[in-house]
Amino acid sequence: MTASAAARTALTPGRPEGLTEVEAARRLAAAGPNEVAARKPVRLRGRILAQLRDPLIMVLLGAVVLTLAIGDHADAIVIALVVVVNTTVGVVQEVRADDAVAALSALSAPHARVRRDGAVRDLPAAEVVPGDVLLLGEGDVVAADAELAEASALLLDESMLTGESVPVDKDAGDPLGAGTVVVRGRGAATVTATGASSALGRIAALLDDRREPTPLQHRLAALGRVLAAVTLILCALVFALGLVRGLPPG
């Protein structure tokens, strides 16, 4: 069981006085800050090089060199255009993914009201931990995934998570997603997941194309490298045989 899972298991829903400061500090150390991890900025040159390192793209680049060597400039231009288009699309997709993660971070609540040691505290949302009792009012952004313990005419805008434009009524026992907004009413909810384990965190993880490749992706990459090597060897052999037979390069 992970530290964050253990922290969620140990929480006591509906605890009126909330966590103690000591317990909150322990859970913060175990679960980590309640925030969507920011992606490290990547320079344009780095993005382009990452696209060009793809084995199949390297095959196409090799084909460009060979077609230029035999004087077939028209084919070389066509192949080069394919490489340029593929690289451009890949870079644009990466930039859009980064922008989407940044937008998710902007949806996160900047601060939260919680009950600790029986008193109400206003603290940065990054310090919210599993087991905290969130106090919600009109206009508040839900700082983390939570289970509603008390509700009074509570209405939430969940469009940023579900795409549903109509606000949803919430009653005690209903789950709340991080990033949703209180449109009306008030309530108290016990935090069940924070940071990467929250709804916003899971969406950000899905958008992250820099995650550890799956076993299938590893196998496909290995296959691509083999195909690239075989293709380059065959092209070199054909070119060499043509020269041996005295065939003109064109």
Side-chain angles (χ1 to χ4, degrees), residues 86-114:
N86 181 83
T87 302
T88 301
V89 170
V91 170
V92 169
Q93 288 177 336
E94 282 191 7
V95 171
R96 287 180 176 175
D98 284 350
D99 290 344
V101 173
L104 284 176
S105 298
L107 289 176
S108 302
H111 58 84
R113 284 185 302 126
V114 301

Side-chain angles (χ1 to χ4, degrees), residues 151-239:
S152 176
L154 191 64
L155 192 66
L156 252 66
D157 177 3
E158 299 180 324
S159 58
M160 65 291 301
L161 295 181
T162 65
E164 176 59 55
S165 60
V166 179
V168 180
D169 285 304
K170 292 292 183 179
D171 298 314
D174 287 345
L176 307 181
T180 54
V181 181
V182 178
V183 176
R184 183 197 66 204
R186 57 186 177 82
T190 303
V191 175
T192 56
T194 60
S197 299
S198 69
L200 286 181
R202 293 192 297 272
I203 294 173
L206 291 174
L207 292 171
D208 189 359
D209 54 5
R210 302 176 208 166
R211 292 175 294 170
E212 181 67 23
T214 64
L216 176 60
Q217 289 173 321
H218 278 299
R219 288 194 290 269
L220 289 175
L223 177 61
R225 287 191 291 271
V226 171
L227 291 176
V230 170
T231 302
L232 290 176
I233 291 172
L234 290 176
C235 289
L237 286 175
V238 170
F239 182 70

Side-chain angles (χ1 to χ4, degrees), residues 25 136 150 229:
L136 303 171
E150 306 169 10

